[in-house]
């Protein structure tokens, strides 16, 4: 893919409680993202970090939605910037920041597609609404918000809702789902490959089915990759680690298959937290996955 890529960093940490995930974009830059993608022949522009406001102290915790106002405000700006990148005909490569950034990124990107698809690699489903969330953390809600479910301050970002349809989503790698999320996945019939299906069928079948499922009914696929999809033994720098996850080997293979399919139009790599990491290995894995997504071959 000799692509035009625009890197945008989002130092967002308001969607959860751990300090350090705001340093994720710079950890990924330090791991050489721009240089490595350029070595593949991509033209890469880095528009640096989008400023994220601070939480208005205390009063900001509305109805099981930590930092709601600040997250909503940041989401509008993220949407605006993502919109601009797509308009400029460049591929948005978005570096998080916690996963709440997906509310804004999908809002800005989906405007440009009639039927945007999404592949969501994650230990979690991020499909909570305030009524089902065990934590009040908005990073556990972005997919629900994109579906139009939850608080209107989140579902209405960028002036329209919903951003995406349930039949255009594939979840991959789940192993920690809250009860309300399980109900919602079943009710909406969302295509889901938990770790059980990955172990049973293998990553090749899972990816080929996912791509075939989305191919004809969508006009572009957004990749949302939470680094906690990987097993914490290999990617420990995340705030909500869950054992029994994807190996780096499986994850890289998945990226290689996505490259071959050539339908991904935008991507975000989220939840990298260098404070919780060992020698930046999680950010380095993220960059290796990006290389495979943009066409790096082993031979
Ligand atoms: N993007 C993430 N890492 N999300 C973790 C969410 C964890 C849990 N399901 C919650 O809603 O609080
Ligand atoms: Mn997760
Ligand atoms: Mn997530």
């Amino acid at each position: 893919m000799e692509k035009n890529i625009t890197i945008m960093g989002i130092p967002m940490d308001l969607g959860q409680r751990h300090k350090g995930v705001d340093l994720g974009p710079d950890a990924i830059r330090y791991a050489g993202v721009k240089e490595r993608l350029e070595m593949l022949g991509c033209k890469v522009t880095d528009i640096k970090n989008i400023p994220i406001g601070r939480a208005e102290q205390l009063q900001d915790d509305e109805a099981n939605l930590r930092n709601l106002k600040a997250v909503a405000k940041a989401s509008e700006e993220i949407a605006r910037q993502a919109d601009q990148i797509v308009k400029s005909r460049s591929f948005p490569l978005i570096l998080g920041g916690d996963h709440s950034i997906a509310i804004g990124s999908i809002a800005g990107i989906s405007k440009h597609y009639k039927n945007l698809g999404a592949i969501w690699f994650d230990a979690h489903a991020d499909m909570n609404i305030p009524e089902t969330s065990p934590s009040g953390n908005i990073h556990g809600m972005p997919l629900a918000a994109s579906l139009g479910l939850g608080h209107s301050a989140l579902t209405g970002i960028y002036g329209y809702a919903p951003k995406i349809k349930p039949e255009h989503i594939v979840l991959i790698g789940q192993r920690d789902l809250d009860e309300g999320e399980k109900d919602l996945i079943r009710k909406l019939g969302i295509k889901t490959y938990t770790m059980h299906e990955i172990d049973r069928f293998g990553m090749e079948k899972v990816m080929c089915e996912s791509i075939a499922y989305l191919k004809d009914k969508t006009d572009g696929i957004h990749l949302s990759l939470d680094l906690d999809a990987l097993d914490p033994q290999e990617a420990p720098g995340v705030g909500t680690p869950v054992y029994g996850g994807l190996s780096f080997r499986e994850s890289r293979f998945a990226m290689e298959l996505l490259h071959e399919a050539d339908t991904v139009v935008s991507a975000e790599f989220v939840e990298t937290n260098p404070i919780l990491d060992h020698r930046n290995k999680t950010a380095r894995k993220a960059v290796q996955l990006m290389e495979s997504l943009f066409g790096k071959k082993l031979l």
Side-chain angles (χ1 to χ4, degrees):
M1 247 188 262
E2 19 9 87
K3 271 205 160 30
N4 281 329
I5 298 171
T6 300
I7 293 175
M8 160 164 83
I10 311 183
M12 164 71 89
D13 64 357
L14 303 170
Q16 45 84 65
R17 282 170 188 268
H18 294 278
K19 291 285 164 210
V21 68
D22 55 319
L23 302 173
D26 286 336
I28 292 170
R29 290 188 180 100
Y30 190 65
V33 60
K34 185 167 190 280
E35 299 74 12
R36 284 171 174 272
L37 296 181
E38 282 172 347
M39 285 197 302
L40 294 171
C42 299
K43 190 174 163 289
V44 187
T45 310
D46 185 349
I47 61 167
K48 307 297 176 195
N49 287 354
I50 305 306
I52 295 299
R54 302 306 326 161
E56 294 148 43
Q57 309 202 325
L58 296 172
Q59 280 92 312
D60 215 11
D61 280 10
E62 188 180 325
N64 208 27
L65 287 150
R66 178 163 297 104
N67 303 325
L68 175 62
K69 286 196 196 74
V71 171
K73 187 157 177 262
S75 300
E76 289 289 347
E77 179 60 14
I78 295 165
R80 210 176 60 76
Q81 297 282 352
D83 180 1
Q84 286 306 315
I85 297 171
V86 181
K87 262 200 198 112
S88 73
R89 297 177 172 279
S90 189
F91 182 109
L93 178 58
I94 301 166
L95 314 180
D98 73 59
H99 217 158
S100 68
I101 68 168
I103 299 173
S105 61
I106 292 175
I109 292 159
S110 189
K111 274 211 115 160
H112 296 270
Y113 297 89
K114 253 174 92 186
N115 291 299
L116 184 70
I119 298 186
W120 200 275
F121 284 90
D122 204 320
H124 313 93
D126 296 343
M127 278 178 58
N128 273 306
I129 55 174
E131 294 74 22
T132 61
S133 171
S135 63
N137 292 333
I138 296 177
H139 80 153
M141 308 181 188
L143 192 51
S146 302
L147 284 159
L149 304 170
H151 196 290
S152 61
L154 299 178
T155 59
I157 294 294
Y158 222 40
Y160 72 109
K163 274 77 180 180
I164 194 159
K165 300 191 184 99
E167 61 270 30
H168 294 160
I169 295 167
V170 179
L171 295 172
I172 299 176
Q174 286 65 41
R175 53 198 184 274
D176 183 13
L177 298 170
D178 298 317
E179 289 310 314
E181 294 181 302
K182 293 181 189 171
D183 292 343
L184 198 53
I185 287 171
R186 291 197 192 100
K187 192 177 119 203
L188 299 177
I190 292 183
K191 182 75 122 189
T192 304
Y193 296 96
T194 69
M195 289 312 298
H196 177 93
E197 284 73 33
I198 293 167
D199 288 339
R200 178 159 281 197
F201 305 122
M203 189 54 101
E204 130 127 328
K205 187 157 190 269
V206 165
M207 290 313 294
C208 291
E209 281 187 14
S210 301
I211 291 160
Y213 175 74
L214 295 176
K215 190 131 202 163
D216 294 330
K217 54 183 172 177
T218 64
D219 45 4
I221 295 175
H222 174 72
L223 170 66
S224 198
L225 192 147
D226 185 328
L227 269 299
D228 72 27
L230 276 69
D231 192 90
Q233 287 195 29
E234 292 189 87
V238 297
T240 47
V242 190
Y243 280 99
L246 299 177
S247 64
F248 171 68
R249 173 171 163 175
E250 284 170 317
S251 316
R252 179 173 62 194
F253 182 51
M255 297 301 114
E256 290 172 340
L257 295 178
L258 283 177
H259 175 75
E260 282 176 17
D262 196 23
T263 53
V264 174
V265 295
S266 52
E268 65 212 347
F269 288 75
V270 304
E271 296 282 344
T272 304
N273 184 331
I275 299 284
L276 303 173
D277 205 4
H278 301 306
R279 298 177 173 267
N280 214 27
K281 70 195 264 194
T282 303
R284 282 190 276 126
K285 297 262 176 4
V287 172
Q288 286 181 278
L289 295 180
M290 293 174 206
E291 289 182 279
S292 298
L293 177 68
F294 289 106
K296 183 171 179 184
K297 297 279 179 300
L298 296 179
L299 178 69

